[in-house]
Amino acid sequence: MATIDQLRDLGYELGIAHGGVDVEQAALDEALQGASTEALVRQAKIVTAETLNNIEQFARPGTFPPPGEARTALANEIAAAALDQLSERADAKVEFQRRARAHAQSVPTVWHVSGHGVAVYVAVDDATGNGADEDAQQLLDSLATVASAQ
Amino acid sequence: MSATVPVPSKSPGDVLTSSLWNTYVAANINKLLNQGHRVLTVSAFNALSGLEDGDEVYLEVDGTNGIQWHLRYHLSSTKWRVLGGPPMYSEIATSETTTSSSYADLSTVGPSLVAPLAGVYDIGGGAAVFGNSTGGDTYMAAKLGSASTADTETLSHGGVGGGASGDGAAGPMARTLAASDTVKAQYKAASGTATFANRRLTLGPRRIG
């Protein structure tokens, strides 16, 4: 029974069309990185600065605190609110990517195979590299046979 | 899918309260995090929740060839309507023959496609059908998932005998597929030997979900 890796060795070009676990794992890693304290603080600083600008523009004259203790207190209050909201979103994104990875793990990876005069899609069992079903295995076998004969 | 929250119009004189600046905080977070269109993998698409009517996504069905479908969610039907995007495409150029009078694979199986999601798809395709040595009809049809291939799924039909060429493309058909269903072409000749070359198959979304 031919495997997807054998097709690569036979000169086919392979690429994942959809269903790959690696891409979802990478997205999950990125989401976890985005949920780190360092990333959240960095984003909160940007949001706080922008928000202070917004407030300064629209606050009643004389009410926006000048640089000093009161301004710092306002900035801290805004930063805390920003951190709260950013953290909530980051956690939601991590959960979303966990669901996406779980889905990818539950379905076969679909590969695009091209070369030797063909361009086809085939569903592959990640664990074995074989076709995900009988039709897919027949396709892998025929592609291997055709390339071997050339 | 959260849209950017517009910053409310404020006038000088508004009182500086947390309820005021919280609006700015939310708007600035949206501005920071929601940049560009949202392109989802098939697995990320399946992870979506809390959808609202009119939500739009770009679904990447082929990350290798950059094929994306633009979809809009229709809440009352819980389906995704298709706004655009090219079909997935498969091709086998090699000329091959069959003498099978029931649907069968040629030496190179296919063309072959895999439905990324459950839905209704436009399936099209065809081939250069080089007549039949004994004048019998020749068929290229789509095998849908685990179902047996049937004449109702004909993609291309050659009816000209005596070795002459004939190609009657049946045109695209709308068919319901389950997620991960393989769609592949199979072939038969009523009698004699039939030859098929430049076999092509396309799969485009009509409705997802």
Side-chain angles (χ1 to χ4, degrees):
Chain A
M1 291 207 302
T3 64
I4 191 75
D5 286 335
Q6 286 171 341
L7 295 190
R8 183 183 284 112
D9 296 340
L10 288 166
Y12 288 101
E13 285 185 26
L14 307 181
I16 291 177
H18 59 258
V21 175
D22 287 352
V23 69
E24 304 305 340
Q25 182 62 53
L28 175 57
D29 291 343
E30 192 182 326
L32 287 166
Q33 180 62 36
S36 67
T37 304
E38 186 187 37
L40 291 174
V41 167
R42 189 174 58 245
Q43 292 173 341
K45 280 180 181 170
I46 295 169
V47 171
T48 301
E50 282 292 309
T51 303
L52 283 171
N53 282 339
N54 297 145
I55 294 171
E56 186 172 19
Q57 206 175 342
F58 291 109
R60 183 192 304 168
T63 60
F64 187 69
E69 204 172 305
R71 171 87 64 89
T72 303
L74 175 61
N76 286 342
E77 211 178 336
I78 292 169
L83 262 178
D84 228 28
Q85 292 184 41
L86 284 163
S87 177
E88 195 177 314
R89 286 194 184 208
D91 289 347
K93 189 171 182 184
V94 167
E95 282 315 302
F96 174 78
Q97 287 305 150
R98 283 193 204 285
R99 292 198 301 274
R101 185 187 60 176
H103 177 269
Q105 287 170 330
S106 70
V107 296
T109 298
V110 175
W111 291 81
H112 184 263
V113 181
S114 60
H116 298 290
V118 310
V120 297
Y121 293 86
V122 59
V124 171
D125 182 322
D126 291 331
T128 63
N130 291 127
D133 56 26
E134 195 180 333
D135 282 328
Q137 188 57 50
Q138 286 171 353
L139 175 56
L140 290 177
D141 289 342
S142 82
L143 292 174
T145 302
V146 166
S148 300
Q150 289 180 354
Chain B
M1 225 99 36
S2 50
T4 301
V5 177
V7 177
S9 175
K10 296 289 175 188
S11 308
D14 281 345
V15 179
L16 184 59
T17 62
S18 61
S19 63
L20 186 157
W21 56 253
N22 259 325
T23 308
Y24 292 122
V25 169
N28 287 323
I29 287 174
N30 280 334
K31 200 164 71 176
L32 182 70
L33 300 182
N34 297 337
Q35 292 170 347
H37 296 298
R38 188 170 189 186
V39 179
L40 297 176
T41 62
V42 171
S43 291
F45 182 87
N46 275 282
L48 288 173
S49 62
L51 293 166
E52 294 176 10
D53 193 47
D55 280 347
E56 292 185 20
V57 300
Y58 289 83
L59 172 67
E60 189 156 77
V61 294
D62 183 347
T64 295
N65 297 294
I67 299 177
Q68 295 177 358
W69 294 341
H70 187 189
L71 308 173
R72 178 185 289 149
Y73 190 65
H74 187 239
L75 184 63
S76 63
S77 64
T78 65
K79 309 285 185 194
W80 292 85
R81 291 176 173 172
V82 179
L83 301 180
M88 298 171 77
Y89 174 81
S90 177
E91 178 175 23
I92 295 174
T94 317
S95 176
E96 291 174 337
T97 62
T98 186
T99 56
S100 175
S101 59
S102 57
Y103 281 108
D105 296 319
L106 301 187
S107 298
T108 310
V109 176
S112 171
L113 298 152
V114 181
L117 298 157
V120 180
Y121 291 86
D122 286 329
I123 301 167
V129 184
F130 293 97
N132 188 311
S133 57
T134 60
D137 287 344
T138 59
Y139 292 86
M140 170 186 181
K143 182 178 188 298
L144 310 179
S146 56
S148 298
T149 311
D151 288 346
T152 49
E153 325 300 350
T154 297
L155 296 163
S156 193
H157 170 227
V160 182
S165 300
D167 182 16
M173 53 189 165
R175 294 290 185 272
T176 299
L177 298 172
S180 300
D181 266 358
T182 293
V183 180
K184 72 171 181 177
Q186 288 196 309
Y187 311 83
K188 71 175 181 179
S191 62
T193 302
T195 304
F196 300 86
N198 296 325
R199 294 174 272 155
R200 293 163 188 155
L201 191 62
T202 61
L203 183 73
R206 178 174 283 247
R207 192 183 68 228
I208 296 296

